[in-house]
């Protein structure tokens, strides 16, 4: 039953990430329910979802382009350093503390998913601009992604929109590139720190890849508001369950 639960959670998470995001809302709770310690559960779930990010980069490879005068190698390097910093922070977080943080992290990620567009508009109104602001905000988002993957895609899209990007295909390409880079280096750090439950991670990888393919096929037929509403409902429900627990 535990293996079936993990397979189902990974499949649905892969499908959710393919069409809108929010897969971590399912993988993290499922792994904790399966008895994996909270820090290891977060690391293991991140490993399971990494292939989906990589396939997204390939899918948007023709849309990848620099942001202003900042080239992709520089921006990817910022994501890599931020992801490594976030992963290092996770590895030194005690399981008891991370367990207490989980409901808050899920709630924050749900809020980012629900109000990412509004947040981007408000921050843009403040007048963020320039190379330093772009690099700094990308680093902060990458640290968050290396520490806790939930809501990362929405946060990256919001961050890119702050600096005048409007082409959604180009933004998705960059989002997937940064997500892949920062998640890959985080996975290396998790592995070196012994935080990954590899049997469960490999089991979930297969299901997540299958779910990503199915989600891409089916998701186009589901109205976007319905998808977003469902994912927000899942995030809120998981947050409440962990608060009660």
């Amino acid at each position: 039953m535990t293996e079936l639960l993990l397979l189902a959670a990974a499949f649905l998470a892969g499908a959710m990430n393919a069409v809108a995001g929010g897969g971590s809302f399912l993988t993290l709770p499922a792994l904790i329910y399966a008895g994996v310690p909270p820090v290891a559960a977060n690391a293991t779930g991140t490993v399971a979802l990494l292939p989906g990010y990589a396939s997204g980069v390939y899918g948007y490879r023709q849309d990848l382009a620099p942001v202003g005068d900042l080239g992709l190698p520089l921006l990817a390097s910022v994501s890599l350093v931020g992801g490594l910093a976030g992963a290092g922070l996770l590895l030194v977080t005690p399981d008891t503390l991370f367990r207490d943080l989980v409901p808050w992290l899920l709630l924050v990620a749900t809020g980012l998913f629900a109000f990412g567009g509004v947040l981007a508009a408000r921050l843009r109104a403040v007048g963020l601009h320039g190379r330093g602001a772009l690099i700094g905000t990308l680093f902060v988002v990458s640290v968050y992604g290396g520490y806790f993957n939930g809501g990362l895609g929405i946060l990256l899209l919001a961050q890119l929109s702050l600096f005048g990007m409007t082409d959604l295909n180009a933004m998705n390409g960059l989002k997937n590139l940064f997500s892949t880079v920062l998640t890959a280096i985080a996975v290396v750090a998790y592995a070196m720190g012994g935080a990954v439950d590899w049997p469960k991670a490999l089991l979930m990888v297969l299901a997540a890849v299958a779910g990503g393919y199915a989600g891409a096929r089916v998701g186009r037929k589901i109205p976007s508001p319905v998808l977003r509403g469902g994912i927000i409902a899942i995030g809120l429900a998981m947050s409440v369950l962990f608060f009660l627990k």
Side-chain angles (χ1 to χ4, degrees):
M1 289 300 295
T2 298
E3 291 179 346
L4 287 176
L5 170 66
L6 294 178
L7 284 171
F11 181 87
L12 292 174
M16 289 167 63
N17 279 349
V19 297
S24 298
F25 296 153
L26 293 178
T27 55
L28 178 62
L31 283 160
I32 292 177
Y33 179 84
V36 181
V39 169
N42 190 51
T44 302
T46 301
V47 172
L49 297 177
L50 175 59
Y53 292 136
S55 63
V57 175
Y58 181 78
Y60 283 98
R61 64 192 182 282
Q62 295 179 334
D63 299 295
L64 288 170
V67 181
D69 59 348
L70 296 175
L72 294 181
L74 173 60
L75 295 173
S77 298
V78 173
S79 290
L80 186 146
V81 174
L84 183 59
L89 183 61
L90 177 69
L91 291 175
V92 299
T93 302
D95 274 314
T96 52
L97 174 59
F98 191 75
R99 184 182 294 275
D100 291 337
L101 288 175
V102 164
W104 294 103
L105 290 169
L106 288 171
L107 191 61
V108 168
T110 304
L112 291 173
F113 188 88
F115 303 108
V118 175
L119 175 63
R122 292 286 179 86
L123 292 177
R124 190 162 51 243
V126 173
L128 283 177
H129 60 84
R131 293 163 54 98
L134 194 156
I135 291 173
T137 53
L138 177 58
F139 176 78
V140 170
V141 173
S142 299
V143 172
Y144 169 87
Y147 186 79
F148 183 69
N149 215 249
L152 173 61
I154 296 299
L155 200 53
L156 281 170
L157 287 176
Q159 186 265 340
L160 290 170
S161 73
L162 293 178
F163 297 91
M165 292 197 69
T166 56
D167 185 334
L168 191 57
N169 286 335
M171 292 168 69
N172 271 320
L174 288 171
K175 177 202 74 175
N176 288 324
L177 173 63
F178 299 153
S179 296
T180 301
V181 170
L182 73 88
T183 302
I185 192 62
V187 165
V188 172
Y190 298 155
M192 293 180 65
V196 179
D197 187 324
W198 286 107
K200 290 182 175 62
L202 296 177
L203 178 70
M204 296 176 75
V205 162
L206 299 176
V209 170
Y213 178 78
R217 299 278 300 205
V218 177
R220 295 176 180 273
K221 302 177 182 179
I222 303 175
S224 180
V226 175
L227 280 173
R228 289 183 60 83
I231 292 171
I232 291 169
I234 290 172
L236 288 174
M238 293 300 173
S239 301
V240 170
L241 287 174
F242 273 91
F243 273 119
L244 293 175
K245 186 176 180 180

